[in-house]
Amino acid sequence: MFDSLSDKLDNALHVLKGHGQITEVNVAETLKEVRRALVDADVNYKIAKEFTNTVKEKALGQNVLTALKPGQMMVKLVKDELTELMGGDAEGINLSGNPSIILMSGLQGSGKTTFSGKLANYLKTKKSKKPLLVACDVYRPAAINQLHVVGEQIDVEVFSDEGNQDPVAISKAAIAHAKANGHNVVIIDTAGRLAIDETMMTEIANIHKAIEPQETLFVVDSMTGQDAVNTAKTFNERLNFDGVILTKLDGDTRGGAAISIKSVVNKPIKFIGTGEKMDAIDVFYPSRMADRILG
Ligand code: GDP
């Protein structure tokens, strides 16, 4: 019936106003609308509930009840809180190493390989870097091929060693190659599985330990919604990653996974992927994301 959450909340609170005093109970009712909107946007239910509890405290403290447009005030409160929740230290990528080593992690299909290419292209064109892409998936020759195709598209060299079954050795050889050839950034694309799997986690943890990257990024498909929370948690426990990449935001997802992941692992979301092409990469802006989630 109403388009935006703002309209819904304004209406709910005005109706309540007409029926006598607005109370804490009424505010709780309207916050149910907020919770519903968040869950519709794929925010994990428990996290949505915690969030609305925080907003409730603030709403009661800020005289939302006597405001002229209580719905709008509530929406502003919700938006500000969401922005703060998703914000934090998105200071970009740590490029202090020589070469700077960036390790990509995430499930198969999350968009790791595509994002590795996008990041290489971004660093090359926007930061004047000379990146080297490294294919470290020792199980799927097709994945190695895919990275070569990506590398050709953006004119960035790809290091691979087909037949070598040891991703730690490949990574080390790639870093030596980078040093010898003047590459100042090394982006390592690792093998993923369709679901969390002990072999995969051990493998990437071993690579991480051996090469000590300046930056470990966790790539997650924003369409996976609720599942994203568990995946992020497991990868973070093993890798203590530095930042999150949220892909496929060009789809029809509202992107609530951003809130869930940030709440659970408390790491900054650094970039978003907005398409299959190599230039479909954007820095993450919390307030834009809050607008999108609220609809
Ligand atoms: P990987 O298995 O994690 O390396 O994932 P891929 O990079 O191969 O991506 C899986 C699929 O998702 C491919 O078909 C990509 O073209 C697609 N993809 C990756 N990132 C995006 C994105 O931001 N938007 C869209 N629409 N598709 C994407």
Side-chain angles (χ1 to χ4, degrees):
M1 189 159 75
F2 300 98
D3 284 335
S4 70
L5 182 64
S6 174
D7 285 344
K8 273 188 197 162
L9 297 187
D10 254 344
N11 187 60
L13 285 164
H14 276 301
V15 169
L16 292 169
K17 263 188 170 173
H19 289 81
Q21 227 190 344
I22 299 176
T23 65
E24 207 178 311
V25 176
N26 305 144
V27 171
E29 283 292 317
T30 57
L31 279 169
K32 261 194 196 160
E33 290 282 359
V34 175
R35 194 147 67 225
R36 204 167 294 144
L38 293 177
V39 172
D40 281 351
D42 260 344
V43 179
N44 177 286
Y45 179 76
K46 194 164 150 258
I47 289 160
K49 202 164 173 200
E50 277 166 21
F51 177 80
T52 45
N53 284 343
T54 310
V55 172
K56 183 178 164 193
E57 300 287 312
K58 298 218 169 167
L60 294 172
Q62 284 187 19
N63 297 330
V64 163
L65 308 185
T66 52
L68 206 56
K69 297 216 172 219
Q72 281 182 12
M73 191 162 164
M74 193 75 110
V75 165
K76 183 176 180 323
L77 191 61
V78 169
K79 195 193 154 187
D80 290 350
E81 279 296 306
L82 276 183
T83 304
E84 203 182 307
L85 184 67
M86 289 186 290
D89 226 2
E91 76 284 3
I93 302 278
N94 178 354
L95 296 172
S96 63
N98 193 23
S100 303
I101 302 165
I102 304 173
L103 181 66
M104 308 300 301
S105 69
L107 292 180
Q108 185 179 322
S110 61
K112 262 191 324 303
T113 302
T114 306
F115 189 79
S116 298
K118 289 178 184 177
L119 183 60
N121 190 39
Y122 172 88
L123 293 174
K124 183 184 149 185
T125 56
K126 300 268 192 314
K127 307 277 173 192
S128 308
K129 295 286 177 187
K130 188 185 173 192
L132 176 70
L133 284 162
V134 184
C136 249
D137 190 330
V138 297
Y139 311 101
R140 294 187 309 135
I144 299 177
N145 242 345
Q146 190 190 343
L147 196 64
H148 277 283
V149 170
V150 160
E152 261 163 44
Q153 273 175 39
I154 57 174
D155 197 20
V156 165
E157 188 183 339
V158 175
F159 183 97
S160 64
D161 185 2
E162 226 166 311
N164 189 336
Q165 293 294 302
D166 179 358
V168 170
I170 298 172
S171 307
K172 285 187 169 168
I175 294 165
H177 178 86
K179 282 182 182 161
N181 293 279
H183 293 277
N184 43 20
V185 180
V186 178
I187 301 173
I188 301 180
D189 184 21
T190 57
R193 297 279 207 287
L194 289 172
I196 299 264
D197 154 308
E198 187 49 36
T199 315
M200 168 185 70
M201 294 312 300
T202 305
E203 179 180 297
I204 191 157
N206 286 341
I207 301 175
H208 185 257
K209 204 167 145 215
I211 63 171
E212 298 181 335
Q214 272 71 38
E215 187 84 20
T216 302
L217 298 172
F218 169 67
V219 181
V220 64
D221 177 344
S222 59
M223 316 272 281
T224 52
Q226 311 272 343
D227 284 345
V229 175
N230 292 333
T231 317
K233 214 169 147 207
T234 310
F235 272 89
N236 193 46
E237 278 162 8
R238 295 297 284 269
L239 300 176
N240 189 22
F241 55 68
D242 302 293
V244 178
I245 310 300
L246 209 53
T247 64
K248 309 190 191 178
L249 273 170
D250 49 313
D252 53 10
T253 171
R254 277 269 172 86
I259 298 174
S260 307
I261 292 169
K262 184 79 204 306
S263 311
V264 170
V265 298
N266 197 25
K267 295 288 169 66
I269 298 164
K270 298 201 166 182
F271 286 97
I272 58 173
T274 55
E276 298 189 78
K277 296 223 174 81
M278 283 297 116
D279 59 358
I281 169 176
D282 246 316
V283 170
F284 177 76
Y285 295 108
S287 84
R288 282 191 204 163
M289 198 66 201
D291 281 338
R292 178 179 178 134
I293 289 169
L294 292 175

